[in-house]
Amino acid sequence: MSENKKIALVTGANKGIGFEAARQLAKQGITVLLGARNAERGEEAAAKLRGENLDAHFIHLDIQDAATHQAAAQVIEEKFGKLDILVNNAGIALDAGEKPSEVSQDLLRKTFDTNFFGTIAVTQAFLPLVKKSNAGRIVNVSSGLGSLTQNSDPNWEFYEAKPLAYNASKTALNAFTVILAHELKDTAIKVNSADPGFTATDLNGHQGYKTVEQGASIITDLAILPANGATGSYFDDQGVLPW
Ligand SMILES: NC(=O)c1ccc[n+]([C@@H]2O[C@H](COP(=O)([O-])OP(=O)(O)OC[C@H]3O[C@@H](n4cnc5c(N)ncnc54)[C@H](OP(=O)(O)O)[C@@H]3O)[C@@H](O)[C@H]2O)c1
């Protein structure tokens, strides 16, 4: 392995947009670690990419289980000594049409546990390794549904999509992007939110009209931003999104 080879970790990479982002990053010549909570699914996904001659490896990572964050960070420290790219992709959407006035505390908490609290815990566990990269990049996979500006715009294409738990968890994740980017503003690390757009995956019963290739492209772009690229911002494949 070349010492200069970049190392990327993508969470929730066993399927969907995360799997495709892992593939796109590996196609850039990056060593990609596919984080997955289920070893069988994760190993299978990594083997599929290796079958395409890509440098891809499974790493056990459950967003909800801090012990797996620590164990994975230790493995990466020992094997690579750094992490260049962290893609916080793993996410859940549990809302099933509940009115915001009636949504349960349980659904809200479960959603936030993964999409917000767990994602922050993962980032905190890997940040010391990202600081060892000379060009660290953190991509928080948000959603256009996390934009308060778009949620308030009756002319927005998805104005009627108001699942409170999911949307609010992504708004909170966007706050993490802005505030972590501020903490790291005097470092080489760039932190951005990505909106893949409405993409056909298990998350939405494959109703999305974008392919995973299209959905993952903004994640890949933000993961390999050049030194003069943005930080503390929010993008889809058309450009900057309003918070
Ligand atoms: N699809 C869209 O239209 C769309 C639009 C905007 C944003 N997004 C965001 O894109 C990201 C990827 O979503 P997707 O559409 O690709 O959905 P998906 O196909 O359902 O994939 C979600 C991934 O997250 C993993 N995951 C969930 N909870 C986890 C946990 N506790 N620990 C580790 N991994 C966990 C899943 O693992 P398992 O296989 O083990 O469940 C799976 O690998 C999410 O953050 C989502 O909010 C999606």
Side-chain angles (χ1 to χ4, degrees):
M1 189 193 68
S2 149
E3 285 217 346
N4 292 326
K5 203 167 172 189
K6 281 191 182 172
I7 315 297
L9 167 63
V10 181
T11 69
N14 54 286
K15 67 176 183 179
I17 295 167
F19 177 66
E20 179 56 29
R23 173 188 273 136
Q24 291 180 6
L25 290 170
K27 280 187 173 172
Q28 298 281 330
I30 296 167
T31 297
V32 179
L33 308 172
L34 286 82
R37 57 180 159 181
N38 178 283
E40 202 177 320
R41 292 197 288 268
E43 291 282 14
E44 200 180 314
K48 195 167 173 193
L49 294 188
R50 285 196 299 276
E52 297 174 19
N53 281 324
L54 298 172
D55 190 5
H57 310 272
F58 160 68
I59 193 156
H60 184 219
L61 194 65
D62 186 334
I63 306 306
Q64 303 268 26
D65 181 354
T68 69
H69 309 170
Q70 293 310 325
Q74 202 175 325
V75 168
I76 296 173
E77 166 85 68
E78 283 163 13
K79 274 197 181 164
F80 307 106
K82 63 162 186 175
L83 182 64
D84 298 288
I85 295 164
L86 171 63
V87 178
N88 283 316
N89 166 78
I92 54 172
L94 301 175
D95 309 73
E98 299 87 349
K99 289 182 185 166
S101 55
E102 292 168 4
V103 64
S104 71
Q105 288 286 308
D106 184 52
L107 191 145
L108 283 164
R109 286 180 197 282
K110 277 191 178 138
T111 305
F112 269 74
D113 273 347
T114 296
N115 293 1
F116 182 65
F117 296 112
T119 299
I120 291 177
V122 166
T123 308
Q124 289 170 339
F126 291 100
L127 192 55
L129 285 166
V130 178
K131 285 182 173 172
K132 291 186 181 175
S133 165
N134 56 18
R137 302 286 179 264
I138 298 173
V139 183
N140 291 325
V141 181
S142 179
S143 164
L145 295 175
S147 164
L148 293 177
T149 304
Q150 293 186 149
N151 268 281
S152 310
D153 177 1
N155 295 317
W156 185 46
E157 181 183 3
F158 299 107
Y159 179 65
E160 295 303 327
K162 294 277 187 285
L164 176 63
Y166 183 77
N167 291 13
S169 72
K170 295 296 189 179
T171 308
L173 181 62
N174 284 345
F176 182 50
T177 295
V178 172
I179 291 167
L180 182 64
H182 177 265
E183 177 184 333
L184 299 172
K185 67 184 184 326
D186 298 323
T187 75
I189 302 173
K190 299 185 187 305
V191 187
N192 290 291
S193 280
D195 168 25
F198 192 34
T199 304
T201 67
D202 288 349
L203 192 92
N204 51 41
H206 292 261
Q207 289 178 51
Y209 51 70
K210 290 176 91 172
T211 64
V212 286
E213 288 81 3
Q214 293 168 328
S217 68
I218 184 61
I219 299 172
T220 304
D221 289 350
L222 293 175
I224 56 172
L225 274 180
N228 63 355
T231 189
S233 197
Y234 181 25
F235 294 89
D236 69 5
D237 60 7
Q238 302 302 307
V240 176
L241 292 177
W243 297 113

